Amino acid sequence: MIADGLRVLFCGINPGLMSAATGHHFARPGNRFWPVLHGSGFTPRRLDPSEQAELLSYGLGITNVAARASARADELSRAELVEGGALLTKRVLLHRPRWLAVVGVTAYRVAFADPRAVIGSQERTIGDTRIWALPNPSGLNAGWTTEAMVEEFGRLRAAAGD
């Protein structure tokens, strides 16, 4: 779900099995993307994954690095992530969002050949599009609390001009 002139294009790693089955991004009930998106102020209420089209009305879009569904992101090959990064670069150059927010810093490191990248704003740009690496909101990512993710997403929101 991408449109021209977005404020932020959120980019997951790849569809999980539930997302592939439903056609909705971050569809697994334990995934924290939708609560964090709302908690950080990007949306005025918590959206259900089935309402993802409403993101466009807030200047937001959503896509993935890799297209292949899997139970866990670590099931993807390095080649899939690198190919996905190249395709994502083309999409970003075409649609020109102000920010690309890659939701999963490990995937970002591989897809964009930036092994030292950390969470936050990146020096790299794609054309005029700035990049922000965010923590993966999967319930499997126990290293980040929901509250800490809300703060990080909030930093992106502030940088995006809200």
Side-chain angles (χ1 to χ4, degrees):
M1 199 179 75
I2 306 173
D4 291 347
L6 294 174
R7 244 175 350 126
V8 180
L9 174 60
F10 288 95
C11 182
I13 300 168
N14 72 311
L17 299 179
M18 183 158 296
S19 290
T22 64
H24 303 125
H25 291 270
F26 301 103
R28 186 173 259 331
N31 193 292
R32 298 172 285 180
F33 178 79
W34 298 103
V36 167
L37 199 65
H38 169 61
S40 63
F42 274 109
T43 59
R45 65 179 179 83
R46 181 178 169 178
L47 299 176
D48 185 79
S50 66
E51 298 175 300
Q52 66 187 17
E54 287 189 36
L55 290 174
L56 292 174
S57 68
Y58 306 118
L60 309 173
I62 195 164
T63 191
N64 287 305
V65 173
R68 182 172 67 88
S70 65
R72 297 173 53 107
D74 62 5
E75 295 174 13
L76 295 174
S77 71
R78 179 175 203 76
E80 286 175 292
L81 291 172
V82 170
E83 178 184 0
L87 292 172
L88 179 60
T89 296
K90 289 178 184 178
R91 278 181 266 164
V92 167
L93 288 170
L94 176 66
H95 296 287
R96 300 182 357 231
R98 280 191 254 159
W99 285 90
L100 171 66
V102 181
V103 184
V105 69
T106 303
Y108 171 80
R109 289 173 183 150
V110 175
F112 290 94
D114 191 356
R116 291 188 174 88
V118 296
I119 297 293
S121 180
Q122 306 301 305
E123 288 186 29
R124 170 193 308 262
T125 62
I126 300 173
D128 292 333
T129 300
R130 307 253 343 251
I131 302 171
W132 197 288
L134 290 166
N136 184 342
S138 167
L140 299 174
N141 183 5
W144 279 79
T145 65
T146 300
E147 295 76 20
M149 283 187 206
V150 165
E151 288 178 23
E152 190 60 36
F153 275 58
R155 281 191 273 280
L156 168 60
R157 186 180 56 76
D162 272 3

